[in-house]
Amino acid sequence: MDNLKRVIVDFKKLTPEVLKLLVERYPDGYDDANIITFKNASGERIEAVEVTTDDTKYLVKISAKLEVTMANYDEDDYEDYDDDDPDAIPDVEINDDDDDDQP
């Protein structure tokens, strides 16, 4: 068994360091084979993808915002922030209704 610290990360707490690890590990995005499903302490079903540093295993919760942020990742966007700054990752607006143009 590994002795890594385990951290569950929600999009709101995502840091530049973890985002970079995600993009490096899943350069073409993740698919169903990469998704880990588990129940949290409240019994809610959580889907996450895993990335690991030397001492920590991060389980990053899957969300549409995460997918968009990974797809649009540019390391230069985060050069003025600390690696552990969750405020560096901008919130993403997700438009659930793409059919606005339809009559």
Side-chain angles (χ1 to χ4, degrees):
M1 182 171 158
D2 59 45
N3 292 322
L4 298 175
K5 184 170 65 169
R6 295 173 190 271
V7 178
I8 299 171
V9 181
D10 187 71
F11 181 83
K12 293 185 288 284
K13 302 243 169 69
L14 192 63
T15 63
E17 175 190 30
V18 175
L19 178 59
K20 182 177 180 182
L21 290 169
L22 282 168
V23 172
E24 288 173 352
R25 171 125 190 229
Y26 308 106
D28 300 318
Y30 50 82
D31 59 29
D32 290 346
N34 307 121
I35 296 174
I36 299 167
T37 303
F38 60 94
K39 291 196 186 297
N40 67 9
S42 305
E44 300 168 317
R45 185 173 177 267
I46 305 294
E47 291 185 338
V49 287
E50 178 183 288
V51 288
T52 307
T53 62
D54 290 340
D55 62 351
T56 306
K57 181 178 287 187
Y58 294 97
L59 294 173
V60 182
K61 291 183 185 179
I62 302 279
S63 69
K65 290 181 178 184
L66 176 64
E67 290 181 35
V68 168
T69 301
M70 286 177 65
N72 296 314
Y73 178 76
D74 182 346
E75 191 171 359
D76 293 342
D77 292 344
Y78 305 103
E79 65 186 4
D80 294 333
Y81 294 93
D82 292 331
D83 279 350
D84 60 355
D85 184 355
D87 294 331
I89 313 293
D91 199 10
V92 178
E93 287 201 25
I94 302 297
N95 183 359
D96 291 334
D97 189 15
D98 289 334
D99 297 329
D100 288 343
D101 298 335
Q102 298 299 320

